[in-house]
Amino acid sequence: MSATIYEAPRAEAKPGETIITSTCGHNCGGRCVVNAHVAEGRIVHISTDARRWKPDHPPLPACARGVGQIERTYHPDRLRHPMRRTGPRGSGQFERIAWNEALDIVAREMLRVRETYGNAAILDASRTGSQSMLHGRVAAQRFLYMFGGCTDLWSNMSAEAEVFAVRTTYGVNDYKSAGREPTDFVNSKLILMWGWSPGDGTFGTGTMQYLKHAKRHGTRIVCVDPRVTMTSRQLADEHVFIRPSTDAAALIAMAYVIVSENLHDQAYCDRYVFGFDEGEVPAGASYRSYLLGLRDGQPKTPDWAAAITGIPAETIRRLAIEFASTKPAAIQAGYAAGRTVYGEQFHRAAYALAAITGNVGIRGGSSGVSNGATGRSGIKSLPTGKNPIDAKVASPLLADLLARGKAGGYPADIRMIYSSGGDLFNQCPNIGKMAASLDKVELFVAQDHFLTPTARLADIVLPATTFWERNDVHTPWAGAGHYAIYMRQAIEPMHECRNDIDIFSELARRVGINGYNDRTETEWLRHLTAGAVDDFDAFARQGVARFAAPTDAVAFAAQIRDPQQHRFGTPSGRIEIYSPSLAANPDPYGLGVIPPIPTWIAPPDDTRRFPLSLCTPKSRARTHSIHGNQPGLARVDPDTVWMHPDDAVARGILDRQPVRVFNDIGATVLPAQVTSRIARGVVSIKEGAWFTPGTDGVDTRGCANVLTMDRAAPCGATTYNTNQVQIEAA
């Protein structure tokens, strides 16, 4: 008998309507049920999974963005037909052209660019604005790789610091399988939520419900964040403010307290951890030696960290003792603190804290990884193949790649950009520099639903279907259950919009690629789900397939239970606080030296002229920049700049007053929100607002990335949360 359950999480249809189950095709942090109520070929209402929450079989309810999809689908600004630019880049001046003409232009220019400059001159700027197993970015990657390759932006813009730290510490490449199931939250006596707010960024459908379930059963929750987030307001027994980019120092000081007061689990460290003590590593190179200051003369005491982080020394000491003495305890290290100039040090320090207290791989403990899945369903995405050329650039360096090209040491001068479902000219750092660095680009193609800030810069704009207008499949974003959702087509493609894979199929034919798309849509979906779905027809008909959960709810339980049979994937076979790989090759990406142990490294920024530290949290009204043009949904979470009352008074700024936020690379204008929910000396602007420059070039809608520097952490991570600004009345 199959262990898979097929279910239809929707109500009975009313007379004259059909209800179609799907899920949002975006990189939103969830994977929820959205049901389209269709009458006379039009979506008239969106509902969601309304079943009562149960921890052993939770429903999959959507957030405001999910039920707001109707506003997006029928938005008056939907792209309706292919267009060609007629005015200066960014002017928004386009003319309508036919599909055949548009595809002929793109194919002809692609062949010319390849012949003239080589494949590395083509940049894939596609991203996750349209995301699922068949359509979206994978379709673009498959096409460009079959065309002979392209320059790739290789690093994960959300979580590269975690990706790197998981691989370095635990020897695992799939970082999303290195955490724990939300079902295990209730087994923790203490959860330390560090820079992690599923109440704002979702982070797995149902994650907040599981945290509330744990709290009801006695789990103590402490949040460490520069802001009192929605998560902290709803769940925290204690909130601890911290300065952005200083998280590693606080974690290292907590480890100092634990080690100096002999609260660590020495037996666990001896058996499962490499590099905590001397003996197996070079003299003075162990983590213990670093904590105690035996080599550099600086013990990493709470007083040392207090001056760096803004957290009182006594709070650091108390948290350390509580974490070490409460069993089991879990640290959930979010992505935000890793999006800093040395973000890999935060994650590695968090994993070290979990390891030295013996909490990795045990029920109610945690590896420190914030993702929720310890196993995958086996559903595959459209195979992309490998990029035939070795042309890779860290994603946050896009502006510098465009500005300097080969002269800056990059693989090529970029002559063509293809963006399918991407809005990097809004979401990558230093937007002003990117927009000013397109003089060498001879063809820019944007394939999207709207004339986004990126599409406004394009030469050719191609209108793509939304997930409601095609069939597809999707899987959970970060755990909270093991399931898949069949994204059944609800309406016919609107206007002249075409599916991503169909657009690339036409381009493939024109440029002489054979075998790009040799299956129908349904054949592809049967093929991609065959490893998990044993009744495809039932899956497509019902809408949701529930799979059996893995044996262990906590990652690395097998390695802790039986270390002889199940070794960690690191060179030592253990949890590596000290990395021999980094000791041998400390600058693996040419982006800066990474010490072999978690280490505090101070950011080099100018805090004198720009004394306010900027952080860029998620908006509950957007998925990155998606939904950024929906005024109805925007009311859920209006765009403001948060600032502490003391910082506002010092600048003569009142609540809701328009202010100018600026630094050396850009400026934006938006209302101030004066609130004690943010630390002194810190301001926050929610990421994703659409870049909308006025006649003076200053952004007018609160786009955070006019203020963020185009630099990468040594591991390739983005540094959105290491930027300094000043604020004045507008």
Side-chain angles (χ1 to χ4, degrees):
M1 183 176 176
S2 172
T4 302
I5 300 171
Y6 299 99
E7 55 190 29
R10 52 185 179 267
E12 290 293 323
K14 296 178 182 178
E17 76 171 8
T18 304
I19 303 179
I20 307 296
T21 293
S22 187
T23 187
C24 298
H26 308 311
N27 188 19
C28 59
R31 195 63 63 226
C32 316
V33 166
V34 286
N35 294 315
H37 297 241
V38 180
E40 298 182 352
R42 184 179 177 87
I43 301 172
V44 296
H45 176 65
I46 292 176
S47 63
T48 188
D49 190 345
R51 292 172 294 178
R52 185 177 180 181
W53 191 82
K54 300 177 182 178
D56 57 342
H57 196 98
L60 306 170
C63 69
R65 293 168 295 180
V67 296
Q69 288 288 351
I70 195 167
E71 180 186 16
R72 186 173 192 272
T73 303
Y74 296 110
H75 197 291
D77 293 343
R78 270 291 296 272
L79 292 174
R80 296 166 180 256
H81 43 70
M83 298 191 298
R84 173 170 51 200
R85 180 170 61 86
T86 58
R89 284 200 196 278
S91 66
Q93 297 172 22
F94 292 88
E95 65 178 0
R96 179 176 183 173
I97 58 175
W99 266 106
N100 280 339
E101 183 179 5
L103 294 170
D104 286 345
I105 291 170
V106 174
R108 182 176 65 246
E109 288 298 293
M110 288 189 72
L111 291 167
R112 183 188 63 80
V113 169
R114 183 177 67 178
E115 176 66 23
T116 306
Y117 304 109
N119 282 84
I122 302 170
L123 174 70
D124 179 15
S126 306
R127 269 313 191 257
T128 56
S130 184
Q131 183 188 40
S132 42
M133 296 296 103
L134 179 59
H135 298 285
R137 188 187 181 193
V138 287
Q141 289 176 304
R142 180 178 173 88
F143 169 71
L144 291 171
Y145 293 173
M146 293 180 76
F147 187 66
C150 57
T151 290
D152 270 330
L153 299 172
W154 65 265
S155 56
N156 185 314
M157 293 176 66
S158 294
E160 190 60 40
E162 178 166 281
V163 172
F164 175 85
V166 166
R167 187 170 60 244
T168 302
T169 308
Y170 297 117
V172 171
N173 287 321
D174 184 5
Y175 72 107
K176 286 206 171 179
S177 293
R180 62 174 178 155
E181 300 287 327
T183 53
D184 187 61
F185 292 164
V186 72
N187 297 319
S188 301
K189 291 186 177 178
L190 170 67
I191 297 177
L192 187 56
M193 300 178 64
W194 204 298
W196 186 56
S197 181
D200 291 282
T202 305
F203 226 93
T205 301
T207 297
M208 281 294 287
Q209 286 80 2
Y210 278 108
L211 287 166
K212 290 175 181 178
H213 177 65
K215 186 175 176 65
R216 286 194 298 269
H217 284 76
T219 302
R220 174 169 153 80
I221 296 176
V222 177
C223 291
V224 181
D225 202 287
R227 306 161 64 246
V228 177
T229 62
M230 291 294 291
T231 305
S232 187
R233 291 185 80 178
Q234 294 181 51
L235 296 175
D237 295 289
E238 179 180 1
H239 185 93
V240 178
F241 285 111
I242 189 171
R243 293 181 187 133
S245 303
T246 68
D247 307 87
L251 289 161
I252 288 167
M254 288 177 66
Y256 167 87
V257 172
I258 291 167
V259 172
S260 64
E261 301 192 20
N262 202 32
L263 299 174
H264 62 287
D265 190 331
Q266 186 65 51
Y268 184 100
C269 290
D270 290 342
R271 189 173 190 188
Y272 302 113
V273 180
F274 180 84
F276 172 67
D277 283 302
E278 300 289 312
E280 297 178 309
V281 299
S286 70
Y287 195 46
R288 183 198 289 268
S289 293
Y290 174 70
L291 296 175
L292 300 179
L294 301 182
R295 190 165 185 175
D296 62 7
Q298 174 60 68
K300 310 308 179 292
T301 64
D303 287 325
W304 165 82
I308 296 168
T309 64
I311 303 174
E314 181 49 42
T315 300
I316 295 173
R317 183 175 182 276
R318 176 174 51 79
L319 280 179
I321 294 171
E322 182 179 8
F323 191 80
S325 58
T326 304
K327 301 290 185 179
I331 179 169
Q332 304 282 137
Y335 294 169
R339 298 185 194 121
T340 51
V341 73
Y342 299 106
E344 65 278 348
Q345 301 306 326
F346 158 70
H347 287 286
R348 295 179 68 212
Y351 306 165
L353 192 73
I356 67 173
T357 53
N359 280 301
V360 177
I362 67 168
R363 189 170 179 263
S366 171
S367 63
V369 176
S370 53
N371 287 286
T374 57
R376 297 300 188 101
S377 67
I379 290 178
K380 301 175 183 177
S381 60
L382 178 71
T384 63
K386 292 185 177 180
N387 192 346
I389 63 173
D390 184 19
K392 298 185 294 184
V393 176
S395 301
L397 301 182
L398 173 57
D400 201 51
L401 163 65
L402 295 172
R404 298 199 295 152
K406 291 185 74 172
Y410 296 105
D413 294 325
I414 299 302
R415 304 291 181 171
M416 176 189 165
I417 300 173
Y418 205 117
S419 173
S420 175
D423 197 10
L424 292 183
F425 287 77
N426 196 81
Q427 295 303 107
C428 266
N430 204 342
I431 289 175
K433 182 177 176 179
M434 279 190 290
S437 302
L438 291 171
D439 291 346
K440 291 183 179 180
V441 174
E442 299 173 12
L443 176 67
F444 192 153
V445 182
Q447 187 170 305
D448 217 309
H449 307 137
F450 297 98
L451 201 63
T452 63
T454 295
R456 287 181 69 88
L457 298 168
D459 300 300
I460 299 292
V461 177
L462 304 177
T465 53
T466 67
F467 66 89
W468 291 122
E469 299 155 60
R470 59 202 188 198
N471 294 294
D472 217 317
V473 170
H474 226 328
T475 54
W477 189 89
H482 295 267
Y483 59 92
I485 298 178
Y486 190 88
M487 304 168 71
R488 187 175 156 203
Q489 183 176 339
I491 56 175
E492 291 299 312
M494 294 183 65
H495 315 298
E496 294 183 26
C497 298
R498 295 187 181 182
N499 296 340
D500 292 304
I501 197 168
D502 295 333
I503 295 171
F504 289 116
S505 295
E506 281 295 310
L507 287 173
R509 183 176 62 82
R510 283 169 164 82
V511 299
I513 295 173
N514 295 317
Y516 172 78
N517 182 12
D518 53 4
R519 290 181 169 96
T520 66
E521 187 177 61
T522 299
E523 287 171 345
W524 269 119
L525 296 177
R526 283 184 182 274
H527 172 71
L528 298 174
T529 59
V533 172
D534 55 12
D535 189 340
F536 180 84
D537 293 334
F539 178 39
R541 183 176 62 254
Q542 296 290 87
V544 174
R546 300 269 194 168
F547 308 115
T551 303
D552 293 312
V554 179
F556 312 120
Q559 287 87 334
I560 300 305
R561 187 166 54 240
D562 189 349
Q564 298 303 316
Q565 288 291 110
H566 302 279
R567 292 168 60 83
F568 286 91
T570 57
S572 67
R574 288 180 278 165
I575 301 168
E576 289 191 352
I577 294 181
Y578 177 97
S579 170
S581 299
L582 286 175
N585 182 19
D587 188 4
Y589 305 119
L591 298 172
V593 170
I594 305 175
I597 56 172
T599 304
W600 162 247
I601 307 172
D605 291 8
D606 182 355
T607 58
R608 182 184 59 82
R609 290 193 303 137
F610 302 108
L612 299 173
S613 298
L614 173 68
C615 56
T616 59
K618 302 298 177 198
S619 169
R620 289 175 288 115
R622 287 190 298 271
T623 298
H624 303 304
S625 66
I626 299 166
H627 308 294
N629 60 341
Q630 293 180 231
L633 188 57
R635 291 194 292 269
V636 170
D637 199 3
D639 284 304
T640 59
V641 54
W642 284 23
M643 58 190 311
H644 191 274
D646 292 353
D647 295 319
V649 168
R651 292 160 177 80
I653 291 169
L654 303 176
D655 189 44
R656 304 298 165 178
Q657 178 180 357
V659 295
R660 178 174 177 263
V661 188
F662 65 96
N663 56 21
D664 279 339
I665 62 172
T668 186
V669 174
L670 73 170
Q673 183 171 342
V674 180
T675 174
S676 58
R677 288 176 58 192
I678 194 164
R680 292 176 180 83
V682 181
V683 297
S684 73
I685 299 175
K686 291 182 282 288
E687 60 96 13
W690 285 21
F691 175 51
T692 310
T695 55
D696 59 355
V698 174
D699 176 67
T700 60
R701 289 185 56 185
C703 180
N705 283 328
V706 300
L707 302 163
T708 54
M709 294 178 64
D710 54 314
R711 59 182 172 183
C715 68
T718 51
T719 60
Y720 295 123
N721 292 322
T722 307
N723 292 281
Q724 297 296 125
V725 299
Q726 182 57 287
I727 296 182
E728 62 186 12

